[in-house]
Amino acid sequence: AVVAHVVASDAGFVEDLDESFKENRKDDIWLVDFYAPWCGHCKKLEPVWNEVGIEMKNMGSPVKVGKMDATSFSSIASEFGVRGYPTIKLLKGDLAYNYRGPRTKDDIVEFANRVAGPLIRPLPSQHMFEHVRKRHRVLFVYIGGESPLKEKYIEVASELIVYTYFFSASEDVLPEYLTLPELPAVLVFKDGTYFVYDEYEDGDLSSWINRERFQGYLHVDGFTLYELGDTGKLVAIAVIDDKNSSVEHTRLKSIIQEVARDYRDHFHRDFQFGHMDGNDYINSLLMDDLTIPTIVVLNTSNQQYFLPDRHIENTEDMVQFINNILDGTAEAQGGDGLLQRIKRVLYDAKSTVVSVFRSSPLLGCFLFGLPLGVISIMCYGICTADTDGGVDEHEAAKKENGDRDLTDEGSEEEQEEEKNEKYTELSDGELKQKDIMEKKKD
């Protein structure tokens, strides 16, 4: 009873939404979970979502937290562009922002606070600037007054606010060690330093911000790898076991970290660096069994990947491997060609069957045994029907041939008559022969 009361209290901070939500939502900012009752991922998210509701309430956030059964209110869900379950959206006025990060309380709450707040947050003092810089791993700052660059900055922020923070400040707010070649300027602060946007070298501002919104070195998981696909970068990953403290595991991780830090100017436009814990996800992605620890470079745009042709001993070996990829001498594997797509279908089918049997052998036997049994019975029936038909045809043919023989030879009476005629003829001949012999004797 106590547990039920606690669960009910937690769920009380999350509102169940119905068809009236469509008309009543515009006066507030809503964080909504569109779910399906039968969805396993939705059920896993439910306790986390209740924690999000409690956290937002305790913070005094203006964001209201709700959930909607997208199967019961499919027209509303379709209007908001819901195509899968669960889908998390922050609805602010006429705008809807999709959440694509890890489904943890802290990450979801940060997303809600970031998107619900001002698009561009001002930094009025150096103290505030330092406070914000310590709090955020990656942040973008516009320095200067009104300009076309600021207009572009605001436009990009409205699109990418779901990923990172955007600030603005005057030149006197910046620390003394920070010098700028010209104003206005856009900077990114990360990895303990800063980098200035250069239109001639970095291209479009939106593309530059999209590439730079990640730290130079990351702990890569499925969500992160999916987001990295939008940057157009190759992803160099040390696939290791975080729980394994052996020299080989820590050495490969350190090599990737050193390359990310010391060779940023050479590779940051083309490469993202990080490590991944375990090889399960990477095996399913590459449809191969990688032995860890190892290093792999992924091209998420076309599903190609590169494996080093020799053991990576040090940073120089890793740099040489990356240069071989850039100049095209490294062999690319995988891809999105026809054969790879067929292989993917077969691999996914095999993985599904194996996972079903591992999780529930009885269910697997039922799901796959029943169709196979039905197919076997059908095949047996077809084969049996063909065999019987063949026997019948044989008997019919035999009977027909028999009839034909009877027709050619005549009836039994006709045959007997013919025999008698032959006997009569033979008897007359014998009598004649006897008369002749008697005459000769006389």
Side-chain angles (χ1 to χ4, degrees):
V2 173
V3 172
H5 176 71
V6 172
V7 173
S9 299
D10 291 349
F13 294 99
V14 177
E15 296 188 32
D16 281 307
L17 306 176
D18 53 25
E19 63 274 356
S20 64
F21 172 71
K22 182 179 178 181
E23 299 298 328
N24 300 333
R25 73 170 186 85
K26 294 187 177 180
D27 295 332
D28 299 296
I29 301 174
W30 282 91
L31 183 65
V32 182
D33 168 29
F34 294 91
Y35 70 96
W38 45 260
C39 171
H41 294 291
C42 300
K43 294 176 182 178
K44 187 177 179 180
L45 177 64
E46 185 175 4
V48 176
W49 199 248
N50 291 333
E51 292 177 3
V52 171
I54 295 172
E55 183 73 12
M56 299 301 287
K57 189 72 173 181
N58 293 339
M59 293 172 58
S61 172
V63 178
K64 292 186 175 182
V65 181
K67 61 181 181 178
M68 174 177 285
D69 183 351
T71 60
S72 298
F73 306 102
S74 57
S75 60
I76 298 177
S78 178
E79 185 175 334
F80 286 118
V82 176
R83 296 183 178 85
Y85 311 115
T87 294
I88 299 173
K89 288 178 176 286
L90 187 134
L91 308 176
K92 183 180 179 182
D94 294 328
L95 300 176
Y97 297 90
N98 290 327
Y99 176 70
R100 295 169 57 183
R103 292 172 187 149
T104 64
K105 183 198 73 174
D106 293 338
D107 288 305
I108 295 173
V109 168
E110 183 185 8
F111 162 80
N113 289 331
R114 180 172 66 246
V115 178
L119 190 62
I120 309 294
R121 291 170 165 83
L123 298 174
S125 64
Q126 281 193 12
H127 176 74
M128 180 62 71
F129 176 83
E130 293 297 337
H131 171 75
V132 168
R133 187 177 176 185
K134 291 177 181 178
R135 182 180 177 185
H136 302 292
R137 296 176 179 176
V138 179
L139 62 103
F140 292 88
V141 182
Y142 172 83
I143 309 296
E146 299 297 324
S147 69
L149 180 61
K150 185 175 182 179
E151 294 177 2
K152 181 65 175 178
Y153 182 73
I154 295 173
E155 179 184 339
V156 174
S158 64
E159 176 187 356
L160 301 180
I161 188 66
V162 294
Y163 300 120
T164 189
Y165 287 89
F166 295 89
F167 297 88
S168 65
S170 58
E171 187 177 6
D172 56 359
V173 169
L174 299 178
E176 295 180 358
Y177 64 83
L178 198 155
T179 57
L180 297 175
E182 62 180 359
L183 292 177
V186 177
L187 293 78
V188 58
F189 292 86
K190 65 177 184 177
D191 301 329
T193 185
Y194 69 94
F195 306 97
V196 182
Y197 166 67
D198 187 327
E199 182 179 2
Y200 297 101
E201 293 187 3
D202 300 317
D204 181 65
L205 178 62
S206 177
S207 300
W208 179 77
I209 292 178
N210 197 37
R211 292 195 305 268
E212 296 291 343
R213 62 186 175 91
F214 297 97
Q215 292 177 280
Y217 181 88
L218 296 170
H219 181 181
V220 180
D221 56 16
F223 282 108
T224 309
L225 196 59
Y226 179 76
E227 289 188 14
L228 287 172
D230 296 335
T231 66
K233 291 183 179 183
L234 300 175
V235 187
I237 304 174
V239 186
I240 63 173
D241 183 357
D242 275 339
K243 297 178 182 178
N244 192 324
S245 58
S246 65
V247 175
E248 186 65 12
H249 286 257
T250 56
R251 185 179 63 83
L252 288 182
K253 183 178 177 180
S254 299
I255 288 174
I256 297 291
Q257 288 175 328
E258 290 175 10
V259 173
R261 182 186 66 243
D262 300 337
Y263 291 84
R264 172 188 158 80
D265 292 341
H266 296 84
F267 301 135
H268 80 279
R269 287 185 176 86
D270 301 304
F271 280 85
Q272 176 66 49
F273 299 92
H275 79 273
M276 178 174 283
D277 181 20
N279 61 348
D280 291 340
Y281 184 84
I282 206 74
N283 284 347
S284 65
L285 195 67
L286 306 185
M287 296 181 289
D288 197 0
D289 292 326
L290 294 183
T291 303
I292 58 174
T294 188
I295 288 176
V296 61
V297 175
L298 303 174
N299 186 341
T300 55
S301 63
N302 60 8
Q303 300 180 13
Q304 287 185 342
Y305 63 95
F306 302 85
L307 296 174
D309 55 0
R310 60 178 180 173
H311 193 61
I312 302 295
E313 295 287 349
N314 48 45
T315 304
E316 287 72 23
D317 289 343
M318 186 65 199
V319 171
Q320 182 61 48
F321 176 44
I322 292 175
N323 285 326
N324 290 342
I325 294 174
L326 291 175
D327 62 25
T329 57
E331 180 184 1
Q333 302 182 48
D336 54 0
L338 178 60
L339 293 178
Q340 284 298 120
R341 293 179 183 179
I342 296 173
K343 183 179 177 181
R344 168 61 63 185
V345 172
L346 296 176
Y347 181 87
D348 290 342
K350 176 185 174 183
S351 300
T352 301
V353 172
V354 171
S355 63
V356 169
F357 274 97
R358 282 180 179 176
S359 60
S360 179
L362 292 177
L363 178 62
C365 292
F366 177 77
L367 290 178
F368 298 102
L370 182 61
L372 289 175
V374 173
I375 293 173
S376 300
I377 293 173
M378 292 175 62
C379 292
Y380 176 78
I382 293 172
C383 294
T384 304
D386 289 340
T387 303
D388 293 343
V391 172
D392 292 342
E393 291 175 2
H394 178 71
E395 293 294 337
K398 186 176 180 181
K399 183 178 180 181
E400 184 179 352
N401 291 333
D403 293 342
R404 186 179 297 111
D405 292 340
L406 289 175
T407 302
D408 293 341
E409 294 178 1
S411 63
E412 293 181 358
E413 295 176 354
E414 292 174 346
Q415 291 180 17
E416 187 67 25
E417 227 174 270
E418 186 177 350
K419 286 180 180 179
N420 292 335
E421 289 177 2
K422 288 181 179 180
Y423 178 76
T424 304
E425 291 175 1
L426 180 61
S427 299
D428 293 342
E430 288 178 350
L431 290 174
K432 290 179 181 180
Q433 186 68 23
K434 187 176 181 181
D435 292 339
I436 294 172
M437 291 298 293
E438 287 180 351
K439 287 179 180 182
K440 284 184 177 181
K441 187 176 179 180
D442 293 340

